[in-house]
Amino acid sequence: MAIITEEPDSPKPLLKQKLEPQPEPPPPSRPPSTHISSRNPFQFWFYFTLFTSICTLVCVLLSSLSAQDPKTWYLNLPADLRLHYSSGRSIKVQTAPNHPQVDVFSLQQGPTNSDSHVLIVHGIGCSSFAFRDVVKFLGLRNVHALALDLPGSGFSDKSYVVVEENVGGNGFFGRMWEVYAEIKEKGLFWGFDQLVEQGYVNFEENEIRVSKKEIIKSIEFGSEEMGRVLGQVVDSIGSVPVDLVLHDSAFGLSANWIAENRGLIRSVVVLDGIPSGTTWPLWTLEVPVVRQVVLGFRFVFERVVARCCIKSVGTPEVEAHRILLKGMDGGRAVGGGVGKKLNFSFALSEWSSLDGVKDMPIRVIWSRGWSDSWTAEGRHIADSIPQATLFTHSGGRWTQEQYAEEVAENIFEFVSSLPKSTKQPMEEPTSEHTHIQQMVNEAESTDHHHGHGGYMDNAYGLHHGWGM
């Protein structure tokens, strides 16, 4: 009989089973929200900071573009600018037909019965403040000197107010505004009675309505406007001819007027004046954000001035230039209005050969220490004008206080060497000036209901007179 016995399992298979590796369970999946927050924990603060920065920038830009109180601005001017303002007076001019008159600031010194009448015209971005010491020096030498601020610059008006009429065509919202104005004029009960009696407000009789709106426009300034301004300023001097000193872009802007008014001009001084373009980079005033940065931060403005205009910076004189450009929206007036009509295709050789120019005494006064390319530009301009003589000075492309006497002495030496011409009284003006005076007289008769954008007269009552 067979005996069946069960043998225990061999331990080797068990050992082999224990040593066989087991697959690891997959890690538990994390919720999507937990995964995102752990990957970028500062996402909320990034967007919060970005949003806050944008809001702050918008607020700063809006505050800078807001209207500035003229009286407060004037009272906060530094002492040198206030002295400059109080020493001058305003001349009313008309830059274009059918436009209201604007105030042009002028600084004058010297006897009005002098044999020499020097009219100094600054370039774009500059002002008469740069020539205050030149005017003073010439006045002490018995020369009647006048430096003006072109419209849109310095203390002159930078805008004017025009009244535009709109005949119908206002659209739905304009029509609703007309209904409101009619009810406001005739009373609320009139409109209510109309609604009760006929169910609507009757405006059929006023189908064509004329609305008036005042609009502030920047003064656009080109060669035509320059000619009108110079003609009216020369009229205010009282006798001709005058000696013109044209700085920077004023040379190119005045060229046409000079050629057409030879009888009013005895000589021309080109003071670091380029036929086309400007010393100041206009793009820094044309782009709104760039303009706010350049004029809003003193160190940025000084860097631009040092690169393009003046040798030494960090002085109260440079800060005064920044204040004049920044104040009363002067930067936008220069970049948006004055710089639009520059003639960049001025032909100097053709101009110098015109009948009204070829026999005119001309002197070119040029900076000799600015750069080699700038010195070569001065020689080129002097060579292009056959009768011109070239003299140099130590300053920069804008006249500075420490170099003003050197420039003034050069101007005085030139005008003193000219033969004395027979003065022509302004009671018998040329036909062009008669036309300009007629426009001024017409504007004076209608200006009481137009007004202008100047801040000298209507803002705080500081009417210009001769400084005491």
Side-chain angles (χ1 to χ4, degrees):
M1 177 176 157
I3 298 173
I4 300 175
T5 59
E6 293 184 4
E7 295 182 358
D9 294 336
S10 173
K12 292 183 179 180
L14 292 176
L15 181 60
K16 183 177 181 182
Q17 186 178 3
K18 290 181 180 180
L19 294 177
E20 188 174 336
Q22 299 294 332
E24 296 181 0
S29 60
R30 299 178 180 177
S33 58
T34 307
H35 177 69
I36 294 176
S37 60
S38 61
R39 184 179 61 181
N40 193 0
F42 299 104
Q43 185 178 19
F44 168 79
W45 293 109
F46 170 79
Y47 287 110
F48 176 80
T49 305
L50 180 62
F51 176 79
T52 306
S53 301
I54 293 175
C55 292
T56 304
L57 180 61
V58 170
C59 293
V60 170
L61 291 178
L62 290 177
S63 63
S64 63
L65 294 175
S66 61
Q68 195 174 12
D69 179 48
K71 185 175 181 179
T72 303
W73 178 76
Y74 173 77
L75 294 177
N76 291 331
L77 290 176
D80 51 356
L81 279 178
R82 295 186 64 180
L83 177 62
H84 176 66
Y85 175 84
S86 62
S87 301
R89 69 182 181 98
S90 283
I91 302 173
K92 287 190 175 295
V93 301
Q94 192 172 23
T95 59
N98 302 323
H99 281 190
Q101 290 180 295
V102 296
D103 283 341
V104 169
F105 177 83
S106 65
L107 180 69
Q108 304 185 34
Q109 288 197 24
T112 56
N113 59 351
S114 173
D115 294 329
S116 299
H117 301 273
V118 176
L119 175 58
I120 304 175
V121 188
H122 66 84
I124 291 180
C126 195
S127 68
S128 63
F129 181 77
F131 299 96
R132 66 196 187 282
D133 291 326
V134 176
V135 171
K136 179 180 179 181
F137 179 87
L138 293 175
L140 294 176
R141 294 296 186 94
N142 293 324
V143 173
H144 180 217
L146 183 150
L148 59 88
D149 284 341
L150 294 176
S153 303
F155 286 116
S156 293
D157 286 346
K158 298 172 175 59
S159 60
Y160 58 90
V161 177
V162 295
V163 179
E164 291 189 352
E165 296 182 350
N166 187 11
V167 181
N170 292 326
F172 173 77
F173 293 102
R175 187 64 175 167
M176 293 300 297
W177 179 259
E178 292 175 1
V179 173
Y180 167 76
E182 190 78 11
I183 295 177
K184 184 178 180 181
E185 178 183 353
K186 296 183 178 181
L188 179 62
F189 291 103
W190 172 84
F192 181 75
D193 293 340
Q194 293 278 317
L195 290 174
V196 171
E197 293 176 3
Q198 51 194 26
Y200 61 92
V201 181
N202 185 15
F203 283 96
E204 298 297 330
E205 59 184 19
N206 296 323
E207 188 66 29
I208 300 177
R209 299 176 61 86
V210 178
S211 60
K212 295 183 178 180
K213 181 172 62 173
E214 291 186 350
I215 299 178
I216 299 178
K217 291 188 175 182
S218 297
I219 298 176
E220 295 185 359
F221 203 78
S223 58
E224 294 183 4
E225 291 78 8
M226 173 69 89
R228 294 189 181 97
V229 170
L230 290 180
Q232 294 168 75
V233 171
V234 170
D235 286 346
S236 71
I237 294 177
S239 62
V240 292
V242 299
D243 301 306
L244 280 180
V245 177
L246 304 175
H247 168 248
D248 190 43
S249 56
F251 178 33
L253 290 173
S254 307
N256 292 336
W257 183 81
I258 293 172
E260 297 171 358
N261 295 271
R262 178 66 178 89
L264 303 179
I265 307 162
R266 183 174 69 159
S267 68
V268 172
V269 174
V270 179
L271 178 60
D272 290 283
I274 45 182
S276 60
T278 63
T279 294
W280 180 272
L282 276 179
W283 65 271
T284 61
L285 301 178
E286 292 172 344
V287 183
V289 177
V290 177
R291 179 175 65 244
Q292 299 301 327
V293 173
V294 171
L295 300 181
F297 297 94
R298 180 172 180 174
F299 71 94
V300 178
F301 181 82
E302 290 179 351
R303 297 287 76 76
V304 177
V305 168
R307 182 178 180 84
C308 304
C309 308
I310 295 177
K311 282 186 173 183
S312 58
V313 296
T315 62
E317 183 180 12
V318 177
E319 177 64 9
H321 286 299
R322 186 183 73 89
I323 293 174
L324 288 176
L325 273 174
K326 180 183 178 182
M328 305 308 301
D329 222 1
R332 183 168 63 175
V334 173
V338 180
K340 283 184 177 180
K341 294 188 175 182
L342 284 179
N343 181 14
F344 292 95
S345 59
F346 178 74
L348 184 59
S349 57
E350 295 180 6
W351 176 80
S352 61
S353 62
L354 296 175
D355 293 337
V357 180
K358 60 184 180 181
D359 61 340
M360 181 181 298
I362 297 178
R363 170 167 291 190
V364 178
I365 303 177
W366 211 258
S367 172
R368 62 175 173 266
W370 185 258
S371 67
D372 294 338
S373 59
W374 186 246
T375 303
E377 180 72 17
R379 294 196 189 99
H380 171 71
I381 291 177
D383 294 339
S384 301
I385 306 174
Q387 72 274 27
T389 55
L390 176 63
F391 284 78
T392 60
H393 65 90
S394 306
R397 297 170 67 174
W398 282 12
T399 304
Q400 285 182 266
E401 185 177 1
Q402 59 266 41
Y403 305 109
E405 185 173 347
E406 181 181 357
V407 173
E409 182 65 39
N410 209 323
I411 297 173
F412 174 75
E413 185 272 327
F414 174 64
V415 299
S416 300
S417 64
L418 299 175
K420 295 182 180 180
S421 58
T422 304
K423 294 184 179 180
Q424 302 176 10
M426 295 302 296
E427 285 76 15
E428 299 180 358
T430 62
S431 59
E432 178 184 354
H433 286 78
T434 303
H435 178 62
I436 292 176
Q437 188 61 42
Q438 289 175 354
M439 291 191 300
V440 173
N441 294 336
E442 292 176 0
E444 287 179 348
S445 62
T446 59
D447 192 48
H448 65 277
H449 66 273
H450 285 292
H452 58 83
Y455 55 89
M456 292 302 174
D457 293 337
N458 55 17
Y460 43 82
L462 293 176
H463 299 273
H464 280 298
W466 288 108
M468 301 299 294

